[in-house]
Each structure stands twice: as C-alpha cells, then as structure tokens.
Amino acid sequence: MATTAFNLPQILPDQAQKHVPVNMSLDLIDAALAATVKSATVTPAPASPALGDRYIVPAGSTFGSVAAGNIAVWNAGAWHSFAAPLGARVFVADEGFERIRTSAGWL
C-alpha cells in the first residue's frame, strides 16, 4: 500500500521491520519538501550521485527503475522515486527557474 499523492510506502498490518517503510517515507517526504532538483535534462543518471541528489527524470533516460517524468532521489545506494502531484512546483538548479507538473508533463 502507498499514499495517494506521493506514493509513499505505508506500514502493513503485522509487518516486520516497520522502520524500513517509515524511514523511506521520511526520506521521500524530505525530498519532496525541498522542492529542488539538480536537473531535468541529465541523461543518463550520474555515476556518483551524492546522498539526497534529486532529478526530474527526462524521457528516454534511466535512473534505476524510476519512470520518466518522476523525481529520482538517491538514497541508501539506489534511486528511489516519487511522482509529484499536478500543480507541484520544483526549482531546477541548472536552469535557474521553476517547473510545474501538469497533465502533459513538466513545463
């Protein structure tokens, strides 16, 4: 199960190691609240990302299993993703301006 807006993992009844989905959710919430990504055009994924690096995954790129259009976050040695909801604003550092999530993608 996951939350509806950001697809954050939820704790399941009788789940072992409850700290795992809680910590992952906190990490993704942290990334979403930052509302900043390094780039929306980098392809492929950087070879040596820093902990917490965030990117909007462009079409045709691969950031692990993160789908194009989602935000990829480097954490715990892997790329994790969340889909920003419609209307979300994210500052793109290498462009110097915000992009807005629409039904057609990022503008």
Side-chain angles (χ1 to χ4, degrees):
M1 291 180 42
T3 62
T4 57
F6 285 99
N7 197 34
L8 301 173
Q10 294 179 328
I11 298 172
L12 301 173
D14 299 325
Q15 180 172 341
Q17 296 186 329
K18 292 174 177 28
H19 67 284
V20 174
V22 170
N23 288 345
M24 180 55 63
S25 290
L26 290 172
D27 289 337
L28 292 173
I29 289 167
D30 182 66
L33 289 176
T36 302
V37 296
K38 294 185 90 165
S39 180
T41 57
V42 166
T43 181
S48 299
L51 180 65
D53 278 358
R54 296 172 300 280
Y55 295 84
I56 295 174
V57 179
S61 186
T62 56
F63 280 67
S65 62
V66 180
N70 285 352
I71 296 176
V73 181
W74 182 255
N75 190 14
W79 290 106
H80 300 277
S81 74
F82 64 90
L86 294 177
R89 294 174 177 267
V90 174
F91 180 77
V92 182
D94 69 350
E95 296 173 352
F97 60 84
E98 287 183 327
R99 288 193 179 206
I100 301 171
R101 179 68 181 236
T102 70
S103 59
W106 290 93
L107 299 178

